[in-house]
Amino acid sequence: SWAYGSSTSLYERHPVTSVPAGEPIADCFAIVSRQNSSIMCLADGVNWGVKASLAARAAVHGSIQYLNQALFSWPIGSTTDVFVALLRSFHAAHNMILQEEGMLTTLTAAVVLPLVTTNRYVVCACNVGDSLAYVYSPKYGVREITQGSHDLHRMRDMRDALGALGPVDGQNPELGNLTCSMTEVEPGDIIFLTSDGVSDNLDPVVGKFTGLPTVEAHQRHKLTLLRTEDLLRNGVSGDGPAVSTAQDVVMLLMDFVTRLTAAKRRILEDVELYQEAGGGPLSKGEQRARRKDVCAKLAMVPGKLDHATVVAYTVGNSHT
């Protein structure tokens, strides 16, 4: 499939009640594809809860509804027109969050359109927060479209989304890292957007892929891109085959982050964190003490538990 997306939770299930932590999933995505173009949106509700999930859904709905109307109702003459539409769509997204009384969310929107030159396409992206956009080129590897939205030379605090739509300050969003980005792409390139539940788990430090004693921030970014490229070219096993469709990219990345975080889930799904060996319930204090002991174990195993989402589109004019 040339347009595809998927969302999952990497959080553990309560071993006694089987209720997943962090419900509902606060990530949301949408994709509208035509014969030679695509509009993609991904939002990651900040923190947990119904209001975070609502914010993400409202943002995606507001943005994609505006873009779908604006980009295809009248002629688009330049990439400037596209960026104007993208920024207005973020305004629509923010207003939709306020209207629906949601909380905060990241938002990344990318528009793929054909250029005047035959067989050349452009991706125009706009993002706020830490949901990122990438290109996988079979020829050149993986590059991040949205890299201007975060400082490559500063170690990232993974608890800080850097920016958000929704009522951050009264009715105002936090647009500190709002960024417009553009790159040219070719037929066969695959554009994909990820929530930080995916991008952070591709980080060599989070994934514990690197044996290096210390890694500089900019090296982390480069290694993340190389790790992602290796995954897309060679698969989880390392034996390939390389991905060839948007669906391949989504399924591979989702499979990878699910496997990477499995050990963390297993530790947290230990029934003895919640009840005595004989089956009796633990006191809240004892539960806390046992969970504290678990922190050291968690630090030893790779990955970050989060909601994880990828949406992807294969560039080309051969779609039917």
Side-chain angles (χ1 to χ4, degrees):
S1 175
W2 43 270
Y4 201 78
S6 180
S7 221
T8 193
S9 173
L10 301 176
Y11 289 110
E12 76 281 3
R13 286 179 177 272
H14 192 291
V16 180
T17 64
S18 292
V19 174
E23 290 290 286
I25 291 177
D27 288 1
C28 180
F29 69 88
I31 183 164
V32 178
S33 294
R34 291 173 170 80
Q35 187 177 7
N36 61 356
S37 63
S38 182
I39 304 168
M40 310 160 72
C41 276
L42 187 150
D44 175 0
V46 177
N47 296 322
W48 285 0
V50 172
K51 293 281 192 179
S53 177
L54 179 61
R57 284 182 286 145
V60 166
H61 182 87
S63 174
I64 212 142
Q65 185 179 44
Y66 180 87
L67 287 170
N68 202 31
Q69 197 174 8
L71 295 175
F72 298 99
S73 302
W74 58 80
I76 295 291
S78 68
T79 52
T80 302
D81 295 343
V82 180
F83 282 119
V84 167
L86 278 164
L87 290 169
R88 286 178 176 163
S89 84
F90 272 49
H91 184 66
H94 179 69
N95 286 343
M96 183 73 77
I97 295 168
L98 297 181
Q99 178 189 307
E100 298 300 321
E101 299 182 354
M103 285 304 290
L104 314 181
T105 185
T106 71
L107 181 63
T108 298
V111 177
V112 186
L113 291 167
L115 290 169
V116 175
T117 314
T118 308
N119 269 351
R120 297 295 295 178
Y121 294 78
V122 69
V123 185
C124 297
C126 188
N127 75 303
V128 66
D130 57 6
S131 300
L132 307 177
Y134 301 87
V135 180
Y136 167 62
S137 160
K139 200 186 295 183
Y140 302 113
V142 173
R143 64 188 187 272
E144 186 195 338
I145 305 169
T146 47
Q147 72 175 36
S149 65
H150 50 102
D151 186 348
L152 303 187
H153 294 275
R154 181 183 293 173
M155 284 297 187
R156 170 162 141 62
D157 176 358
M158 294 192 178
R159 294 159 300 183
D160 181 5
L162 302 173
L165 298 184
V168 177
D169 171 22
Q171 300 281 288
N172 300 319
E174 169 50 74
L175 303 179
N177 81 324
L178 175 70
T179 306
C180 291
S181 318
M182 182 176 79
T183 189
E184 279 195 41
V185 289
E186 299 176 356
D189 288 354
I190 299 172
I191 315 304
F192 61 101
L193 315 185
T194 73
S195 64
D196 66 332
V198 174
S199 56
D200 283 348
N201 276 312
L202 290 161
D203 180 293
V205 177
V206 177
K208 303 195 187 299
F209 312 133
T210 173
L212 302 174
T214 55
V215 181
E216 299 284 332
H218 66 281
Q219 292 172 318
R220 272 178 85 165
H221 184 257
K222 194 164 276 186
L223 286 167
T224 300
L225 296 180
L226 289 170
R227 179 73 191 96
T228 309
E229 180 185 341
D230 178 62
L231 199 58
L232 297 180
R233 288 197 195 280
N234 302 308
V236 175
S237 66
D239 299 326
V243 296
S244 59
T245 68
Q247 184 172 352
D248 290 346
V249 168
V250 172
M251 293 182 76
L252 181 62
L253 291 177
M254 296 299 269
D255 178 52
F256 174 77
V257 298
T258 303
R259 288 171 190 250
L260 182 75
T261 51
K264 268 199 164 61
R265 278 192 299 282
R266 270 201 299 276
I267 291 168
L268 291 168
E269 287 169 354
D270 181 354
V271 74
E272 289 186 7
L273 290 174
Y274 298 92
Q275 60 187 36
E276 299 285 4
L282 293 175
S283 69
K284 289 287 184 199
E286 182 60 26
Q287 273 191 34
R288 268 198 302 274
R290 290 194 184 186
R291 285 184 78 90
K292 202 171 178 182
D293 292 341
V294 150
C295 287
K297 281 190 200 171
L298 288 173
M300 299 298 290
V301 297
K304 179 189 111 167
L305 301 184
D306 202 344
H307 300 131
T309 303
V310 187
V311 60
Y313 171 76
T314 310
V315 178
N317 55 8
S318 57
H319 307 321
T320 53

